[in-house]
Amino acid sequence: AQSVAQPEDQVNVAEGNPLTVKCTYSVSGNPYLFWYVQYPNRGLQFLLKYITGDNLVKGSYGFEAEFNKSQTSFHLKKPSALVSDSALYFCAVRATTSGTYKYIFGTGTRLKVLA
Amino acid sequence: DTGVSQNPRHKITKRGQNVTFRCDPISEHNRLYWYRQTLGQGPEFLTYFQNEAQLEKSRLLSDRFSAERPKGSFSTLEIQRTEQGDSAMYLCASSPVPGSYEQYFGPGTRLTVT
């Protein structure tokens, strides 16, 4: 069965410091991996994805994530956090095996960037 | 590109009533998903359409839930005989042609069952 774990309910980081939001997954076969961000009273917004190729993927707003197959992880990173990055972040996975189209989302990590 | 729209944005209903929600995906997006999100949880997959065909339904989806996408454009999600446990945010997402895989989410419909 597919699953996603976001082990931290909340991550606090000072503005200007690097940030990491963790995600591990379990899926049969190769995964498609995604990060989404949710701001208050707004829908989820796509940040970045890993489908195939380079393990380091870059996305919107200066975010990047590294796919690590051996550790089944897809951590979200940013070199220098902004207060405006404060939001709820969701990791999601989709199996590439045939027969399913569904995406599994983690429970979310609230990022708080302190000025 | 006007984004994914959902109506209504909020719905309050009494237990036992039927409710219907509408989702208008981004134009020409042939893939459409419905999710349910409760407080403190991530979106939970309900069902998937490719054009007008409903290709996958969650096993968690009871018989009281039904979804349609009659012409491959907008979609509706109906909940019959609502229960208090149905209270949640219902999200719709659409995705363009195969190969891109990212989803574009609407603002959601918040359902409160009293």
Side-chain angles (χ1 to χ4, degrees):
Chain A
Q2 301 173 73
S3 66
V4 173
Q6 293 183 243
E8 302 150 320
D9 289 337
Q10 182 161 317
V11 169
N12 296 327
V13 64
E15 189 175 30
N17 282 2
L19 69 87
T20 299
V21 182
K22 295 180 180 176
C23 172
T24 58
Y25 67 90
S26 174
V27 68
S28 300
N30 294 319
Y32 295 155
L33 294 157
F34 306 83
W35 277 100
Y36 289 84
V37 60
Q38 188 171 37
Y39 296 100
N41 300 315
R42 295 179 65 178
L44 278 81
Q45 296 176 37
F46 168 74
L47 272 183
L48 53 77
K49 65 184 177 186
Y50 171 81
I51 302 298
T52 187
D54 196 347
N55 289 344
L56 183 65
V57 294
K58 295 186 184 296
S60 307
Y61 312 121
F63 284 93
E64 58 188 32
E66 185 164 14
F67 170 58
N68 187 318
K69 189 171 183 177
S70 63
Q71 296 187 4
T72 61
S73 67
F74 189 57
H75 300 332
L76 181 70
K77 300 183 180 188
K78 188 173 182 182
S80 178
L82 299 173
V83 172
S84 57
D85 293 330
S86 298
L88 190 54
Y89 290 80
F90 290 97
C91 181
V93 66
R94 182 188 148 178
T96 58
T97 53
S98 61
T100 183
Y101 302 91
K102 72 178 181 182
Y103 294 70
I104 303 298
F105 284 77
T107 52
T109 298
R110 187 165 300 281
L111 174 66
K112 195 169 184 179
V113 181
L114 307 168
Chain B
D1 181 354
T2 57
V4 178
S5 62
Q6 292 186 246
N7 288 289
R9 294 291 306 276
H10 303 273
K11 179 72 176 178
I12 300 173
T13 191
K14 291 186 188 299
R15 185 165 52 93
Q17 297 294 304
N18 299 344
V19 294
T20 300
F21 309 141
R22 176 175 170 132
C23 170
D24 287 89
I26 294 172
S27 178
E28 298 179 358
H29 279 195
N30 66 342
R31 299 179 168 198
L32 188 146
Y33 290 78
W34 283 99
Y35 292 89
R36 177 170 60 192
Q37 186 177 21
T38 54
L39 199 61
Q41 299 297 317
E44 175 188 24
F45 170 80
L46 293 179
T47 191
Y48 164 66
F49 288 88
Q50 186 164 309
N51 299 311
E52 65 275 11
Q54 186 175 23
L55 296 186
E56 191 167 359
K57 266 174 64 167
S58 169
R59 280 173 284 177
L60 301 174
L61 211 62
S62 78
D63 292 344
R64 297 184 297 106
F65 286 71
S66 62
E68 293 183 339
R69 194 181 182 198
K71 296 182 181 179
S73 56
F74 73 92
S75 176
T76 58
L77 177 69
E78 182 183 17
I79 309 174
Q80 296 183 325
R81 304 181 303 281
T82 52
E83 301 172 357
Q84 286 190 320
D86 297 331
S87 295
M89 178 75 85
Y90 290 84
L91 301 172
C92 175
S94 69
S95 196
V97 295
S100 54
Y101 302 109
E102 66 267 24
Q103 296 172 82
Y104 296 84
F105 282 82
T109 295
R110 182 168 295 284
L111 173 66
T112 302
V113 182
T114 63

